[in-house]
Amino acid sequence: MTPAPALLTDLRVRAAYSEGAGIYRIVPEGVAVPRSVEDVRRLAGWAADTRTSLVPRGAGSGIPGGNVGRGVIVDLSQGFHELSVDARRRVARAGASVTAAEIGAAALPYGLRLPPDPSSAAFATSGGLVATNAAGPRSVRYGSVRRWVEAIEIVDASGEVRWVRRGGGRGERFALDDAERRLVEARFPKTRKNSSGYALDAFAASGDELDLLIGSEGTLGMVTAVEWRLDPIPPDRAGVALGFADLAALDDALPFLLALNPSALELLDHTLLSLVAAGSAEGMGAALPDLACLLLVEFERETAAAARGVVGDAVRGLHHHTRHVETAVDRDGLAHLWAVRRLASPALARLPETRRSLQVVEDGCVPLERTADYVAGLRETSRGRGIELAMFGHAGDGHVHVNALPDTTRHGWREDLAAVLEDVTALLLQLGGTPSGEHGDGRLRAGVLGRFVGAEVAALFQDVKRAYDPRSVFNPGVIIPAAAWAPLADLKVGEAAAPIPDDIAARLRAVERGAEWTIPKTGLAD
Ligand SMILES: Cc1cc2nc3c(=O)[nH]c(=O)nc-3n(C[C@H](O)[C@H](O)[C@H](O)COP(=O)(O)OP(=O)(O)OC[C@H]3O[C@@H](n4cnc5c(N)ncnc54)[C@H](O)[C@@H]3O)c2cc1C
């Protein structure tokens, strides 16, 4: 029997870990803050012996509820700080708590970077990035983090500590036969990005166990360190903002712009542009005409002339559609151009209870050619259900972040929100999409996976879970749904929210509004 670890069980501490980004509040039974791989190994052994659920956690910025739960939260953000760059091999070795921004800063002096650039780079940890197969605006050219993970150190359910490497083979725990491989090929969505379910498609293609573990959301083991592959920073960048009066223009604009090989191709819809304009101290976005949407495009090239040239191609090629054009060819211009995108999340986070931003359908991704249909379908849902939907995100990947803005002081808002969730799930199914392009399933989407991939692939997901975590110790209810799956139970908003001390609730709200996810959560309880 493994000795019991030191757990924090004071209500104030547990309350401080009851929320992450996203919609949930669930008070855990305890919190563990391991500082070493040996601490993590002992925790895993103790949890297996006592059948205690463990919820691995980094910064807590993950959105669909994989970072909260009723068991013991394992806060991996307070140890695991090691970071070194091997410029010759173009590799960074980072402890689980090291953020994407910290890796970027360490790689910069060598002219290197980690190409996926999540908007949450300042706080998203290496463990969280790998566990969710995170992505960002530049994923349109450089893919999700999967492509950039060379190896991970993992502590599994048996308490074994090992490095799992790219090219290291399929491991001993799980395999697909030929028929299952064909099934996966037939049933997985044909989208440019997918962070939903276990990545059996990537696993089948590479034959690498690493691909099963990336995106497994803390359900198969705990990541204690990551070896990241780095890439040289391209010499030159330029960009353009293109405004459209009609969403239907996306049908032409997206494939045209993609053919020019952009490094980012982002969308902001009218609702979001209005929110940014209303909330920004600098009046950002107020100068934009009345647009249906804005596309922000970045091009990385070997020379300044090439970068400027392709911006010109984009502007000329779409001039029949555009109502607004702003180009940027230097650092200041680019910063100004992208400010409106950077202000999107803060603008949503600070909305009042009468227009509370709730992420229940925030991560859908469709085949690129269905993007305009998806946005039009979302608009229809919004009108039909009387809930405003603000949209932004990675149009070049057919991937749109959608924040529902219900008036949570109005009677019946939960029912309307549930209807939005069902409508959008049905829309994604109809368009051949996936419910998650980069955030993962968490608790929110676990119960719909079977509808997307079919019962047989869902059964393979169960097989993966059993093979790695036979006692279901790691993050039960995430990816594999709980028997009583209820996506809109345990909300942090409304009268039914779990009671926690008022001052902690206020601090958690401040963290969310200010995106202060790097603050150690134990400190919130002081
Ligand atoms: C303002 C804002 C902007 C965002 N922008 C982006 C974006 O551009 N792109 C994007 O992909 N996401 C984005 N996100 C979502 C979030 O930042 C990412 O999902 C991020 O990867 C989560 O990292 P984290 O350290 O906060 O993980 P957490 O939220 O703590 O955990 C997320 C999941 O990973 C698991 N996990 C965490 N650490 C480990 C570990 N060491 N071992 C095993 N499992 C672990 C957890 O169990 C959970 O399931 C954004 C979120 C916010 C609030």
Side-chain angles (χ1 to χ4, degrees):
M1 193 83 171
T2 315
L7 291 186
L8 306 171
T9 54
D10 176 69
L11 172 62
R12 290 181 64 77
V13 175
R14 291 189 290 123
Y17 285 86
S18 65
E19 296 182 9
I23 60 174
Y24 294 116
R25 178 186 294 166
I26 303 175
V27 182
E29 72 183 58
V31 174
V33 188
R35 306 281 174 172
S36 67
V37 175
E38 182 53 24
D39 288 350
V40 177
R41 202 185 62 70
R42 268 198 241 116
L43 256 174
W46 167 79
D49 289 347
T50 56
R51 293 192 178 237
T52 307
S53 313
L54 297 180
V55 180
R57 176 162 169 146
S61 71
I63 292 178
N67 47 21
V68 289
R70 295 186 207 288
V72 169
I73 302 279
V74 182
D75 180 354
L76 290 140
S77 73
Q78 298 197 36
F80 312 96
H81 296 305
E82 90 252 17
L83 174 58
S84 60
V85 173
D86 181 338
R88 196 184 51 78
R89 286 178 58 227
R90 290 189 186 163
V91 162
R93 190 163 168 144
S97 71
V98 176
T99 64
E102 288 169 333
I103 296 163
L108 186 64
Y110 305 99
L112 298 172
R113 67 174 179 180
L114 183 60
D117 59 334
S119 312
S120 52
F123 41 86
T125 64
S126 288
L129 293 162
V130 169
T132 54
N133 186 27
R138 293 210 178 102
S139 294
V140 69
R141 187 168 189 190
Y142 301 102
S144 306
V145 302
R146 177 180 306 286
R147 227 197 264 176
W148 302 93
V149 178
E150 197 56 40
I152 59 176
E153 184 184 54
I154 188 156
V155 178
D156 71 16
S158 66
E160 192 188 339
V161 184
R162 62 203 171 95
W163 277 92
V164 181
R165 298 199 157 272
R166 177 62 66 207
R170 72 167 169 80
E172 291 160 10
R173 286 168 178 74
F174 181 79
L176 291 169
D177 64 26
D178 285 345
E180 289 166 342
R181 224 173 273 135
R182 282 194 296 276
L183 183 70
V184 166
E185 163 66 22
R187 294 306 315 245
F188 261 63
K190 308 296 177 276
T191 46
R192 287 170 58 99
K193 286 161 77 180
N194 185 22
S195 275
S196 193
Y198 295 117
L200 293 176
D201 53 346
F203 175 64
S206 69
D208 276 346
E209 181 184 20
L210 185 62
D211 278 318
L212 268 188
L213 297 172
I214 295 172
S216 62
E217 297 184 57
T219 63
L220 304 181
M222 292 185 275
V223 176
T224 43
V226 181
E227 237 180 63
W228 293 103
R229 211 150 61 71
L230 304 172
D231 210 35
I233 299 171
D236 266 289
R237 277 192 300 148
V240 59
L242 302 167
F244 301 89
D246 186 351
L247 285 169
L250 293 178
D251 274 338
D252 287 341
L254 293 179
F256 175 80
L257 291 167
L258 261 192
L260 298 177
N261 196 10
S263 43
L265 176 42
E266 297 282 294
L267 169 97
L268 290 104
D269 84 332
H270 174 77
T271 306
L272 203 62
L273 288 171
S274 314
L275 291 175
V276 170
S280 120
E282 312 97 272
M284 186 63 61
L288 293 172
D290 193 18
L291 301 172
C293 68
L294 186 74
L295 288 179
L296 292 172
V297 199
E298 179 195 77
F299 296 100
E300 294 179 333
R301 292 295 188 268
E302 289 302 310
T303 64
R308 283 166 195 241
V310 72
V311 164
D313 294 343
V315 172
R316 279 188 299 278
L318 291 173
H319 80 277
H320 291 305
H321 288 300
T322 46
R323 174 181 279 197
H324 166 86
V325 174
E326 182 186 346
T327 59
V329 293
D330 58 21
R331 186 186 289 257
D332 287 349
L334 282 163
H336 182 260
L337 201 72
W338 284 86
V340 65
R341 172 70 177 84
R342 274 196 305 281
L343 292 170
S345 291
L348 289 165
R350 68 173 163 254
L351 289 171
E353 300 306 298
T354 49
R355 224 178 169 196
R356 177 82 183 243
S357 172
L358 293 179
Q359 301 88 351
V360 293
V361 289
E362 89 294 354
D363 203 31
C365 183
V366 295
L368 188 74
E369 64 279 11
R370 308 308 302 269
T371 310
D373 294 338
Y374 183 46
V375 173
L378 289 164
R379 290 242 155 279
E380 209 177 301
T381 294
S382 170
R383 274 192 299 273
R385 302 300 181 180
I387 291 189
E388 214 176 353
L389 299 177
M391 302 177 210
F392 66 110
H394 319 302
D397 282 319
H399 183 203
V400 186
H401 294 311
V402 181
N403 284 47
L405 309 180
D407 176 352
T408 59
T409 63
R410 181 176 63 77
H411 182 71
W413 68 269
R414 277 168 188 275
E415 290 72 18
D416 291 337
L417 196 64
V420 166
L421 175 57
E422 178 48 37
D423 286 358
V424 176
T425 302
L427 179 62
L428 285 164
L429 280 164
Q430 182 202 330
L431 298 175
T434 168
S436 173
E438 66 185 18
H439 293 162
D441 298 312
R443 295 163 201 291
L444 176 62
R445 291 179 265 273
V448 300
L449 297 198
R451 289 168 67 186
F452 281 87
V453 293
E456 289 166 299
V457 171
L460 290 175
F461 290 166
Q462 300 264 8
D463 292 345
V464 172
K465 176 70 174 173
R466 266 193 297 274
Y468 278 84
D469 183 19
R471 296 182 188 181
S472 197
V473 163
F474 289 126
N475 236 349
V478 171
I479 299 186
I480 305 296
W485 176 71
L488 298 186
D490 300 313
L491 296 187
K492 59 168 77 158
V493 184
E495 283 167 10
I500 57 172
D502 287 345
D503 64 317
I504 302 230
R507 287 184 197 187
L508 287 169
R509 185 76 175 117
V511 164
E512 186 174 54
R513 285 178 164 226
E516 294 165 349
W517 296 104
T518 50
I519 292 178
K521 306 307 173 294
T522 38
L524 296 182
D526 291 344

